Amino acid sequence: MIIDKLENLEKYYALNPLFKEVADFLKANDMNTLSTGIHKIKGDDVYVNIQGAKGRTRDEAVVEYHRQMVDIQIPFSGTETYGYIPVADLPPAEFDEAGDCALVPEAAPQSYVTCSPGMFAIFFPQDGHAPLITDESVLRKAIFKVKGLKGEELKG
């Protein structure tokens, strides 16, 4: 997991060259006016889901993880807190291969981090995360999905 300011996203290109596609998209688009829904950037390798999602409390948030895709999550309308727990510490869960997601509602995060507008959080396949913890009734945010590098995918 990485938490940083958007202005520093280019410092992470070495981790995955597709992160540059995300940075270029952010520079070319006004995220506050982009329509809700999925916008393809580079086929199925890079896309963004613009959401207006209901805020949750820490108790309501559900831990999730992905095997194929890396999440770059960016809140726009307010702060967002994310629960964190390594996937290796999670109990077994049913994994939706088509949706590249497992939900683990019985898991409790081990720690929490908060992003304000102008910041991002990157979650890799080894990072269990519980998003949408916020006081906002509806949080406007972007979730960039970036294909993981070969060998980066989570096994098991």
Side-chain angles (χ1 to χ4, degrees), residues 7-155:
E7 63 204 43
N8 295 325
L9 183 57
E10 67 186 40
K11 294 179 180 182
Y12 301 98
Y13 292 175
L15 296 176
N16 186 321
L18 292 173
F19 288 176
K20 184 176 184 322
E21 300 287 336
V22 172
D24 290 346
F25 187 86
L26 286 166
K27 289 175 189 168
N29 293 277
D30 180 353
M31 302 307 290
N32 292 305
T33 61
L34 204 57
S35 63
T36 301
I38 294 176
H39 302 266
K40 298 282 185 164
I41 299 169
K42 188 171 184 177
D44 290 334
D45 289 350
V46 183
Y47 59 92
V48 64
N49 185 2
I50 303 296
Q51 294 183 340
K54 182 181 179 299
R56 301 174 182 161
T57 65
R58 286 184 179 199
D59 290 336
E60 294 170 330
V62 176
V63 173
E64 63 183 61
Y65 67 90
H66 316 288
R67 290 181 178 160
Q68 302 294 321
M69 302 299 276
V70 174
D71 277 5
I72 301 177
Q73 298 201 21
I74 305 170
F76 291 108
S77 64
T79 61
E80 181 176 15
T81 297
Y82 307 92
Y84 172 79
I85 182 171
V87 170
D89 293 347
L90 291 172
E94 186 174 323
F95 193 85
D96 174 5
E97 295 291 342
D100 188 42
C101 188
L103 299 177
V104 193
E106 67 276 11
Q110 295 174 350
S111 61
Y112 293 87
V113 295
T114 300
C115 286
S116 300
M119 297 177 71
F120 65 88
I122 301 177
F123 298 103
F124 294 93
Q126 70 270 15
D127 299 324
H129 53 286
L132 291 169
I133 302 169
T134 182
D135 290 334
E136 301 285 316
S137 58
V138 175
L139 179 71
R140 184 164 168 81
K141 66 181 287 186
I143 303 170
F144 286 88
K145 300 297 245 177
V146 179
K147 180 87 170 166
L149 296 176
K150 191 87 171 139
E152 184 177 67
E153 296 88 5
L154 184 68
K155 306 296 184 221

